[in-house]
Structures are given as structure tokens and as C-alpha cells.
Coordinates of all heavy atoms in Angstrom, one line a residue:
P1 N -8.7 -12.2 -7.5 CA -9.4 -11.0 -7.8 C -8.7 -10.2 -9.0 O -7.5 -10.3 -9.2 CB -9.4 -10.2 -6.5 CG -8.3 -10.8 -5.7 CD -8.1 -12.2 -6.2
D2 N -9.5 -9.5 -9.7 CA -9.0 -8.6 -10.8 C -8.1 -7.5 -10.2 O -8.5 -6.8 -9.3 CB -10.2 -8.1 -11.5 CG -9.8 -7.1 -12.6 OD1 -8.7 -7.3 -13.2 OD2 -10.6 -6.3 -13.0
S3 N -6.8 -7.5 -10.7 CA -5.9 -6.5 -10.1 C -6.3 -5.1 -10.4 O -6.1 -4.2 -9.5 CB -4.5 -6.8 -10.7 OG -4.4 -6.6 -12.1
S4 N -6.9 -4.8 -11.5 CA -7.4 -3.4 -11.8 C -8.5 -3.0 -10.8 O -8.5 -1.8 -10.3 CB -7.8 -3.2 -13.2 OG -8.9 -3.9 -13.5
F5 N -9.3 -3.9 -10.4 CA -10.4 -3.7 -9.4 C -9.7 -3.4 -8.1 O -10.1 -2.4 -7.4 CB -11.3 -4.8 -9.3 CG -12.3 -4.7 -8.1 CD1 -13.4 -3.8 -8.2 CD2 -12.1 -5.3 -6.9 CE1 -14.3 -3.6 -7.2 CE2 -12.9 -5.2 -5.9 CZ -14.0 -4.3 -6.0
V6 N -8.8 -4.2 -7.7 CA -8.1 -4.0 -6.4 C -7.4 -2.6 -6.4 O -7.4 -1.9 -5.4 CB -7.1 -5.1 -6.1 CG1 -6.3 -4.8 -4.8 CG2 -7.9 -6.4 -5.9
N7 N -6.7 -2.3 -7.5 CA -6.0 -1.0 -7.5 C -7.0 0.2 -7.4 O -6.7 1.1 -6.7 CB -5.3 -0.9 -8.9 CG -4.1 -1.8 -8.9 OD1 -3.6 -2.3 -7.9 ND2 -3.5 -2.0 -10.1
R8 N -8.1 0.1 -8.1 CA -9.1 1.1 -8.0 C -9.7 1.2 -6.6 O -9.9 2.3 -6.0 CB -10.3 0.9 -9.0 CG -9.9 1.2 -10.4 CD -11.1 1.3 -11.3 NE -12.0 0.1 -11.2 CZ -11.9 -1.0 -11.9 NH1 -10.9 -1.2 -12.8 NH2 -12.8 -2.0 -11.7
L9 N -10.0 0.1 -6.0 CA -10.5 0.0 -4.6 C -9.5 0.7 -3.6 O -9.9 1.6 -2.8 CB -10.7 -1.4 -4.2 CG -11.2 -1.6 -2.7 CD1 -12.5 -0.9 -2.4 CD2 -11.3 -3.1 -2.4
L10 N -8.2 0.3 -3.7 CA -7.2 0.9 -2.8 C -7.1 2.4 -3.1 O -7.0 3.2 -2.1 CB -5.9 0.2 -3.0 CG -5.8 -1.2 -2.5 CD1 -4.5 -1.9 -2.9 CD2 -6.0 -1.3 -1.0
N11 N -7.1 2.8 -4.3 CA -7.1 4.3 -4.6 C -8.3 5.0 -4.0 O -8.1 6.1 -3.5 CB -7.0 4.5 -6.1 CG -5.6 4.4 -6.7 OD1 -4.6 4.9 -6.1 ND2 -5.5 3.8 -7.8
N12 N -9.4 4.4 -4.2 CA -10.6 5.1 -3.7 C -10.6 5.2 -2.1 O -11.0 6.2 -1.6 CB -11.9 4.4 -4.1 CG -12.2 4.6 -5.6 OD1 -11.7 5.6 -6.2 ND2 -12.9 3.7 -6.2
L13 N -10.1 4.1 -1.5 CA -10.0 4.1 0.0 C -9.0 5.2 0.4 O -9.2 5.9 1.4 CB -9.6 2.8 0.5 CG -10.7 1.7 0.4 CD1 -10.1 0.3 0.7 CD2 -11.9 2.0 1.2
G14 N -7.9 5.4 -0.3 CA -7.0 6.4 0.0 C -7.6 7.8 -0.2 O -7.4 8.7 0.7
T15 N -8.3 8.0 -1.3 CA -8.9 9.3 -1.5 C -10.0 9.6 -0.5 O -10.1 10.7 -0.1 CB -9.6 9.3 -2.9 OG1 -8.6 9.0 -3.9 CG2 -10.3 10.6 -3.2
S16 N -10.6 8.6 0.0 CA -11.7 8.7 1.1 C -11.1 8.8 2.5 O -11.8 8.8 3.4 CB -12.7 7.6 1.0 OG -13.3 7.5 -0.3
K17 N -9.7 8.7 2.6 CA -9.0 8.8 3.9 C -9.5 7.6 4.8 O -9.9 7.9 5.9 CB -9.3 10.1 4.5 CG -9.0 11.3 3.7 CD -7.5 11.7 3.8 CE -7.3 13.0 3.1 NZ -6.5 13.0 1.9
R18 N -9.4 6.4 4.3 CA -9.8 5.2 5.0 C -8.7 4.2 5.2 O -8.7 3.1 4.6 CB -11.0 4.6 4.4 CG -12.2 5.7 4.3 CD -13.4 5.1 3.6 NE -14.1 4.4 4.6 CZ -15.2 3.8 4.4 NH1 -15.8 3.8 3.2 NH2 -15.9 3.1 5.3
P19 N -7.6 4.6 5.9 CA -6.5 3.7 6.0 C -6.8 2.3 6.7 O -6.1 1.3 6.3 CB -5.5 4.5 6.9 CG -6.3 5.4 7.6 CD -7.5 5.7 6.8
L20 N -7.7 2.2 7.6 CA -8.0 1.0 8.2 C -8.6 0.0 7.2 O -8.2 -1.2 7.1 CB -9.0 1.1 9.3 CG -9.4 -0.1 10.1 CD1 -8.2 -0.8 10.7 CD2 -10.4 0.2 11.2
Q21 N -9.4 0.5 6.2 CA -9.9 -0.4 5.2 C -8.9 -0.8 4.2 O -8.9 -1.9 3.7 CB -11.1 0.4 4.5 CG -12.4 0.4 5.3 CD -12.3 1.4 6.4 OE1 -11.5 2.3 6.4 NE2 -13.3 1.3 7.3
I22 N -7.8 0.0 4.0 CA -6.7 -0.4 3.1 C -6.0 -1.6 3.7 O -5.8 -2.6 3.1 CB -5.7 0.8 2.9 CG1 -6.4 1.9 2.1 CG2 -4.4 0.3 2.2 CD1 -5.6 3.2 2.2
A23 N -5.8 -1.5 5.0 CA -5.2 -2.6 5.7 C -6.1 -3.9 5.7 O -5.6 -5.0 5.5 CB -4.9 -2.3 7.2
N24 N -7.4 -3.7 5.8 CA -8.3 -4.8 5.7 C -8.3 -5.5 4.4 O -8.4 -6.7 4.3 CB -9.7 -4.4 6.1 CG -9.9 -4.0 7.6 OD1 -9.1 -4.5 8.4 ND2 -10.9 -3.3 7.9
V25 N -8.2 -4.7 3.3 CA -8.2 -5.2 2.0 C -6.9 -6.1 1.8 O -7.0 -7.2 1.3 CB -8.2 -4.1 0.9 CG1 -7.9 -4.7 -0.5 CG2 -9.6 -3.5 0.9
L26 N -5.8 -5.5 2.3 CA -4.5 -6.3 2.2 C -4.6 -7.6 3.0 O -4.1 -8.6 2.5 CB -3.4 -5.4 2.6 CG -3.1 -4.2 1.7 CD1 -2.0 -3.4 2.3 CD2 -2.7 -4.6 0.3
A27 N -5.2 -7.5 4.1 CA -5.3 -8.7 5.0 C -6.2 -9.8 4.3 O -5.9 -11.0 4.3 CB -5.9 -8.4 6.3
C28 N -7.3 -9.3 3.7 CA -8.2 -10.3 2.9 C -7.4 -10.9 1.8 O -7.6 -12.1 1.5 CB -9.4 -9.5 2.4 SG -10.6 -9.1 3.7
L29 N -6.6 -10.1 1.1 CA -5.8 -10.7 0.0 C -4.8 -11.7 0.5 O -4.7 -12.8 -0.2 CB -5.1 -9.5 -0.8 CG -6.0 -8.6 -1.6 CD1 -5.2 -7.4 -2.1 CD2 -6.8 -9.3 -2.7
R30 N -4.2 -11.4 1.6 CA -3.2 -12.4 2.2 C -4.0 -13.7 2.6 O -3.5 -14.8 2.3 CB -2.5 -11.8 3.4 CG -1.3 -11.0 3.0 CD -0.5 -10.6 4.3 NE -1.3 -10.0 5.3 CZ -1.6 -8.7 5.4 NH1 -1.2 -7.9 4.5 NH2 -2.3 -8.2 6.4
D31 N -5.1 -13.5 3.2 CA -5.9 -14.6 3.6 C -6.3 -15.5 2.5 O -6.5 -16.7 2.6 CB -7.2 -14.2 4.4 CG -6.9 -13.6 5.8 OD1 -5.7 -13.7 6.2 OD2 -7.8 -13.0 6.3
R32 N -6.5 -14.9 1.3 CA -6.9 -15.7 0.1 C -5.6 -16.1 -0.7 O -5.8 -16.6 -1.8 CB -7.8 -14.8 -0.8 CG -9.1 -14.6 -0.1 CD -10.0 -13.7 -1.0 NE -11.2 -13.4 -0.4 CZ -12.4 -14.0 -0.7 NH1 -12.4 -14.9 -1.7 NH2 -13.5 -13.7 -0.1
N33 N -4.5 -16.0 -0.1 CA -3.2 -16.4 -0.7 C -2.9 -15.7 -2.0 O -2.3 -16.3 -2.9 CB -3.1 -17.9 -0.8 CG -3.1 -18.6 0.5 OD1 -2.5 -18.2 1.4 ND2 -3.9 -19.7 0.6
V34 N -3.3 -14.4 -2.1 CA -3.0 -13.6 -3.3 C -1.5 -13.2 -3.1 O -1.1 -12.7 -2.1 CB -3.9 -12.4 -3.4 CG1 -3.4 -11.5 -4.5 CG2 -5.3 -12.8 -3.6
E35 N -0.7 -13.5 -4.1 CA 0.7 -13.2 -4.0 C 1.0 -11.7 -3.9 O 0.4 -10.9 -4.7 CB 1.4 -13.7 -5.3 CG 2.9 -13.6 -5.2 CD 3.5 -14.2 -6.5 OE1 2.9 -15.0 -7.2 OE2 4.7 -13.8 -6.7
Q36 N 1.8 -11.4 -3.0 CA 2.2 -10.0 -2.8 C 3.1 -9.6 -4.0 O 3.9 -10.4 -4.5 CB 3.1 -9.8 -1.6 CG 2.3 -10.0 -0.3 CD 1.6 -8.7 0.1 OE1 2.1 -7.6 -0.2 NE2 0.6 -8.8 0.9
N37 N 3.0 -8.4 -4.5 CA 3.8 -8.0 -5.6 C 4.1 -6.5 -5.5 O 3.4 -5.8 -4.7 CB 3.2 -8.3 -7.0 CG 1.9 -7.7 -7.3 OD1 1.8 -6.4 -7.2 ND2 0.9 -8.5 -7.5
I38 N 5.0 -6.0 -6.3 CA 5.4 -4.6 -6.2 C 4.3 -3.6 -6.6 O 4.2 -2.6 -6.0 CB 6.7 -4.4 -7.0 CG1 7.3 -3.0 -6.6 CG2 6.4 -4.5 -8.5 CD1 8.7 -2.8 -7.0
F39 N 3.5 -4.0 -7.5 CA 2.4 -3.1 -8.0 C 1.3 -3.0 -6.9 O 0.9 -1.8 -6.6 CB 1.8 -3.7 -9.2 CG 2.8 -3.9 -10.3 CD1 3.1 -5.2 -10.7 CD2 3.4 -2.8 -10.9 CE1 4.0 -5.3 -11.7 CE2 4.3 -3.0 -11.9 CZ 4.6 -4.2 -12.3
L40 N 1.0 -4.1 -6.2 CA 0.0 -4.0 -5.1 C 0.6 -3.2 -4.0 O -0.1 -2.3 -3.4 CB -0.3 -5.4 -4.6 CG -1.3 -5.5 -3.5 CD1 -2.6 -4.9 -3.8 CD2 -1.4 -7.0 -3.1
A41 N 1.8 -3.4 -3.6 CA 2.5 -2.6 -2.6 C 2.5 -1.2 -2.9 O 2.2 -0.3 -2.0 CB 3.9 -3.2 -2.3
S42 N 2.9 -0.8 -4.1 CA 3.0 0.6 -4.5 C 1.7 1.3 -4.4 O 1.6 2.4 -3.9 CB 3.6 0.7 -5.9 OG 4.9 0.3 -5.9
V43 N 0.6 0.6 -4.9 CA -0.7 1.3 -4.9 C -1.2 1.4 -3.4 O -1.7 2.5 -3.0 CB -1.7 0.4 -5.7 CG1 -3.2 0.9 -5.4 CG2 -1.4 0.5 -7.2
A44 N -0.9 0.4 -2.6 CA -1.4 0.5 -1.2 C -0.6 1.6 -0.5 O -1.2 2.3 0.3 CB -1.1 -0.9 -0.5
I45 N 0.7 1.7 -0.7 CA 1.5 2.7 0.0 C 1.0 4.1 -0.5 O 0.9 5.0 0.3 CB 3.0 2.5 -0.3 CG1 3.5 1.2 0.4 CG2 3.8 3.7 0.1 CD1 4.8 0.8 0.0
A46 N 0.8 4.3 -1.8 CA 0.3 5.5 -2.3 C -1.1 5.9 -1.7 O -1.3 7.1 -1.4 CB 0.2 5.5 -3.8
S47 N -1.9 4.9 -1.5 CA -3.2 5.1 -0.9 C -3.0 5.6 0.6 O -3.8 6.5 1.0 CB -4.1 3.9 -1.0 OG -4.3 3.5 -2.3
C48 N -2.1 5.0 1.3 CA -1.8 5.4 2.6 C -1.3 6.9 2.6 O -1.5 7.7 3.5 CB -0.8 4.5 3.3 SG -1.5 2.9 3.7
R49 N -0.5 7.2 1.6 CA 0.0 8.6 1.5 C -1.1 9.6 1.4 O -1.1 10.6 2.0 CB 1.0 8.7 0.3 CG 1.5 10.1 0.1 CD 2.3 10.2 -1.2 NE 1.4 10.0 -2.3 CZ 1.8 9.6 -3.5 NH1 3.1 9.4 -3.8 NH2 0.9 9.4 -4.5
K50 N -2.1 9.2 0.6 CA -3.3 10.1 0.5 C -4.0 10.3 1.8 O -4.6 11.3 2.0 CB -4.3 9.5 -0.5 CG -3.8 9.5 -1.9 CD -4.9 8.8 -2.8 CE -4.4 8.7 -4.3 NZ -5.4 8.0 -5.1
C51 N -3.9 9.3 2.7 CA -4.5 9.4 4.0 C -3.6 10.1 5.0 O -4.0 10.2 6.2 CB -4.8 8.0 4.5 SG -6.0 7.0 3.6
C52 N -2.4 10.4 4.6 CA -1.4 10.9 5.5 C -1.0 9.9 6.6 O -0.7 10.3 7.7 CB -1.8 12.3 6.1 SG -2.1 13.6 4.9
D53 N -1.1 8.7 6.3 CA -0.9 7.6 7.3 C 0.5 7.0 7.0 O 0.6 5.9 6.4 CB -2.0 6.6 7.3 CG -1.9 5.6 8.4 OD1 -0.8 5.5 9.0 OD2 -2.9 5.0 8.8
W54 N 1.5 7.7 7.5 CA 2.9 7.2 7.2 C 3.2 5.9 7.8 O 3.9 5.1 7.3 CB 3.9 8.3 7.6 CG 3.9 8.6 9.1 CD1 3.1 9.5 9.7 CD2 4.7 8.0 10.1 NE1 3.3 9.4 11.1 CE2 4.3 8.5 11.3 CE3 5.6 7.0 10.0 CZ2 4.9 8.1 12.5 CZ3 6.2 6.6 11.2 CH2 5.8 7.2 12.5
G55 N 2.6 5.7 9.0 CA 2.9 4.4 9.7 C 2.4 3.2 9.0 O 3.1 2.2 8.8
A56 N 1.2 3.3 8.4 CA 0.6 2.2 7.6 C 1.5 2.0 6.3 O 1.7 0.9 5.9 CB -0.8 2.5 7.2
A57 N 1.9 3.1 5.7 CA 2.7 3.0 4.5 C 4.0 2.3 4.8 O 4.4 1.4 4.0 CB 3.0 4.4 4.0
L58 N 4.7 2.6 5.9 CA 5.9 1.9 6.3 C 5.7 0.5 6.7 O 6.5 -0.4 6.3 CB 6.6 2.6 7.4 CG 7.2 4.0 7.0 CD1 7.9 4.6 8.2 CD2 8.1 4.0 5.8
S59 N 4.5 0.2 7.3 CA 4.2 -1.2 7.6 C 4.0 -2.0 6.4 O 4.5 -3.2 6.3 CB 2.9 -1.3 8.4 OG 3.1 -0.7 9.7
I60 N 3.4 -1.5 5.4 CA 3.2 -2.2 4.1 C 4.6 -2.4 3.4 O 4.8 -3.5 2.9 CB 2.2 -1.4 3.2 CG1 0.8 -1.4 3.8 CG2 2.2 -2.0 1.8 CD1 -0.1 -0.4 3.1
L61 N 5.4 -1.4 3.5 CA 6.8 -1.5 2.9 C 7.5 -2.6 3.5 O 8.1 -3.5 2.8 CB 7.5 -0.2 3.0 CG 8.9 -0.1 2.4 CD1 8.7 0.1 0.9 CD2 9.6 1.1 3.0
V62 N 7.5 -2.7 4.8 CA 8.3 -3.7 5.6 C 7.7 -5.1 5.3 O 8.4 -6.0 5.1 CB 8.3 -3.4 7.1 CG1 8.8 -4.6 7.9 CG2 9.1 -2.2 7.4
E63 N 6.4 -5.2 5.4 CA 5.7 -6.5 5.1 C 6.0 -7.0 3.7 O 6.2 -8.2 3.5 CB 4.2 -6.3 5.4 CG 3.5 -7.6 5.2 CD 2.0 -7.4 5.5 OE1 1.7 -6.8 6.5 OE2 1.2 -7.9 4.7
T64 N 6.0 -6.1 2.8 CA 6.2 -6.5 1.4 C 7.6 -7.0 1.2 O 7.9 -8.0 0.6 CB 5.9 -5.4 0.4 OG1 4.5 -4.9 0.6 CG2 6.1 -5.8 -1.0
A65 N 8.6 -6.2 1.8 CA 10.0 -6.6 1.7 C 10.2 -7.9 2.4 O 11.0 -8.8 1.9 CB 10.9 -5.5 2.3
S66 N 9.5 -8.2 3.5 CA 9.7 -9.5 4.2 C 9.1 -10.6 3.5 O 9.4 -11.8 3.7 CB 9.2 -9.4 5.6 OG 7.8 -9.3 5.6
S67 N 8.2 -10.3 2.5 CA 7.7 -11.4 1.6 C 8.6 -11.7 0.5 O 8.1 -12.4 -0.5 CB 6.3 -10.9 1.1 OG 5.4 -10.7 2.2
H68 N 9.8 -11.1 0.5 CA 10.8 -11.3 -0.6 C 10.4 -10.8 -1.9 O 10.8 -11.3 -2.9 CB 11.1 -12.8 -0.7 CG 11.6 -13.4 0.6 ND1 12.7 -13.1 1.2 CD2 10.9 -14.3 1.4 CE1 12.8 -13.7 2.4 NE2 11.8 -14.5 2.5
V69 N 9.6 -9.7 -1.9 CA 9.3 -9.0 -3.1 C 10.4 -7.9 -3.3 O 10.7 -7.2 -2.3 CB 7.9 -8.3 -3.0 CG1 7.6 -7.4 -4.2 CG2 6.8 -9.3 -2.8
K70 N 10.9 -7.9 -4.4 CA 12.0 -6.9 -4.7 C 11.3 -5.5 -5.0 O 10.6 -5.3 -5.9 CB 12.8 -7.3 -5.9 CG 14.0 -6.4 -6.2 CD 14.8 -6.9 -7.4 CE 15.7 -5.8 -7.8 NZ 17.1 -6.0 -7.4
L71 N 11.6 -4.6 -4.1 CA 11.1 -3.3 -4.1 C 11.9 -2.4 -5.1 O 13.1 -2.6 -5.2 CB 11.0 -2.7 -2.8 CG 10.1 -3.5 -1.8 CD1 10.2 -2.9 -0.4 CD2 8.7 -3.5 -2.2
D72 N 11.3 -1.4 -5.6 CA 12.1 -0.5 -6.5 C 12.1 0.9 -6.0 O 11.5 1.2 -5.0 CB 11.5 -0.5 -7.9 CG 10.1 0.0 -8.0 OD1 9.5 0.4 -7.0 OD2 9.5 -0.1 -9.2
T73 N 12.8 1.8 -6.7 CA 12.9 3.2 -6.3 C 11.6 3.9 -6.2 O 11.4 4.7 -5.2 CB 13.8 3.9 -7.3 OG1 15.0 3.2 -7.4 CG2 14.1 5.4 -6.9
I74 N 10.7 3.6 -7.1 CA 9.3 4.2 -7.0 C 8.6 3.9 -5.7 O 8.0 4.7 -5.1 CB 8.5 3.8 -8.3 CG1 9.1 4.4 -9.5 CG2 7.0 4.3 -8.1 CD1 8.6 3.8 -10.8
T75 N 8.7 2.6 -5.3 CA 8.0 2.2 -4.1 C 8.6 2.9 -2.9 O 7.9 3.4 -2.0 CB 8.1 0.7 -4.0 OG1 7.6 0.1 -5.2 CG2 7.3 0.2 -2.8
Y76 N 10.0 2.9 -2.8 CA 10.6 3.6 -1.7 C 10.3 5.1 -1.7 O 10.0 5.7 -0.6 CB 12.1 3.4 -1.8 CG 12.6 2.0 -1.4 CD1 13.2 1.1 -2.3 CD2 12.4 1.5 -0.1 CE1 13.6 -0.1 -1.9 CE2 12.8 0.3 0.3 CZ 13.4 -0.5 -0.6 OH 13.8 -1.8 -0.2
N77 N 10.3 5.7 -2.9 CA 10.0 7.1 -2.9 C 8.6 7.4 -2.5 O 8.3 8.4 -1.8 CB 10.2 7.7 -4.3 CG 11.7 7.9 -4.6 OD1 12.5 7.9 -3.7 ND2 12.0 8.0 -5.9
T78 N 7.7 6.5 -2.8 CA 6.3 6.7 -2.4 C 6.1 6.6 -0.9 O 5.4 7.4 -0.3 CB 5.4 5.6 -3.1 OG1 5.5 5.7 -4.5 CG2 3.9 5.8 -2.7
A79 N 6.9 5.7 -0.3 CA 6.9 5.6 1.2 C 7.5 6.8 1.8 O 7.0 7.3 2.8 CB 7.7 4.3 1.6
V80 N 8.6 7.3 1.3 CA 9.2 8.6 1.8 C 8.2 9.7 1.7 O 8.0 10.5 2.6 CB 10.5 8.9 1.0 CG1 11.0 10.3 1.4 CG2 11.6 7.9 1.4
S81 N 7.5 9.8 0.5 CA 6.5 10.8 0.3 C 5.4 10.7 1.4 O 4.8 11.7 1.8 CB 5.9 10.7 -1.1 OG 5.0 11.7 -1.3
A82 N 5.0 9.5 1.7 CA 3.9 9.3 2.7 C 4.4 9.8 4.1 O 3.7 10.4 4.8 CB 3.6 7.8 2.9
C83 N 5.7 9.6 4.4 CA 6.3 10.1 5.6 C 6.3 11.6 5.6 O 6.0 12.3 6.6 CB 7.7 9.6 5.8 SG 7.8 7.8 6.2
E84 N 6.7 12.2 4.5 CA 6.7 13.6 4.3 C 5.3 14.2 4.5 O 5.1 15.2 5.3 CB 7.3 14.0 3.0 CG 7.3 15.5 2.8 CD 7.9 15.9 1.4 OE1 7.8 15.1 0.5 OE2 8.4 17.0 1.3
K85 N 4.3 13.6 3.8 CA 2.9 14.1 3.9 C 2.4 14.0 5.3 O 1.6 14.8 5.8 CB 2.1 13.4 2.9 CG 0.7 14.1 2.7 CD 0.0 13.6 1.5 CE -1.3 14.4 1.4 NZ -2.0 14.0 0.2
G86 N 2.8 13.0 6.0 CA 2.4 12.8 7.4 C 3.2 13.6 8.4 O 3.0 13.4 9.6
G87 N 4.1 14.4 8.0 CA 4.9 15.3 8.9 C 6.0 14.6 9.5 O 6.5 15.0 10.6
Q88 N 6.5 13.4 9.0 CA 7.6 12.7 9.6 C 8.9 12.8 8.8 O 9.8 12.0 9.0 CB 7.1 11.2 9.7 CG 6.0 11.0 10.6 CD 6.2 11.4 12.0 OE1 7.2 11.1 12.6 NE2 5.3 12.2 12.5
W89 N 9.0 13.7 7.9 CA 10.2 13.8 7.1 C 10.5 15.3 7.0 O 9.8 16.1 6.8 CB 10.0 13.2 5.7 CG 11.3 13.1 5.0 CD1 11.9 14.0 4.2 CD2 12.2 11.9 5.0 NE1 13.0 13.5 3.7 CE2 13.2 12.2 4.2 CE3 12.1 10.7 5.7 CZ2 14.3 11.3 3.9 CZ3 13.2 9.8 5.4 CH2 14.2 10.2 4.6

């Protein structure tokens, strides 16, 4: 799939406060053997932040790290921001 389409889709789902659909999109990408990468993880975590769903953001962070994707400061900060927005920080 086109990465810019996936990014827009995840952003729109976050803006629409639809965290379950964010998880579904990620699951579909995994099922299609789309390689996990830092950009996909960052967009998905930011989308969860928009939903105030800190649990989903942390799940994506852990899952991405366990896929041996090297995470960066921006990705970690986005996850911390999701926790803060969800009242967990």
C-alpha cells in the first residue's frame, strides 16, 4: 500500500477518535506482511494520542520495538505525549 495513503488514513482515524480502527489498520498491514517501520509507528502512535488512547499508543510502541525497529526520540516523545493526554502522566 501507498505509505502516504496509510499515513492519511491513520491521521484521519485519530482525528475521528477511532482507536479500534487504528489497531485494525495495523493488523491488516501485518497480515499483508507490510514491514513495520518507525514512520508507520510514529503516525499510529500520534493518531492514538489524538484519541487520548494511551494504552493503544504504548502497545504500538512495544510491538514496534519487539519487531526490532529502532525507535527514536520523536517516537518516544509522541508516546509520552499520548500518556499525558490520556491523563497517565
Side-chain angles (χ1 to χ4, degrees):
D2 177 25
S3 62
S4 65
F5 171 78
V6 173
N7 289 345
R8 285 192 312 271
L9 176 61
L10 291 172
N11 276 320
N12 288 337
L13 291 172
T15 301
S16 301
K17 309 274 192 249
R18 302 179 81 180
L20 181 58
Q21 284 76 15
I22 293 168
N24 288 341
V25 168
L26 294 175
C28 286
L29 293 172
R30 276 191 307 278
D31 290 347
R32 293 178 181 257
N33 296 317
V34 173
E35 184 179 342
Q36 292 276 334
N37 62 58
I38 193 163
F39 303 110
L40 178 61
S42 293
V43 170
I45 291 169
S47 297
C48 291
R49 179 185 64 203
K50 290 178 185 177
C51 298
C52 299
D53 192 338
W54 62 273
L58 292 183
S59 292
I60 294 166
L61 185 75
V62 169
E63 182 177 311
T64 304
S66 68
S67 298
H68 305 292
V69 173
K70 185 176 167 104
L71 301 174
D72 64 2
T73 304
I74 295 169
T75 307
Y76 285 115
N77 285 341
T78 304
V80 168
S81 179
C83 291
E84 180 181 23
K85 191 164 184 179
Q88 297 299 311
W89 193 270

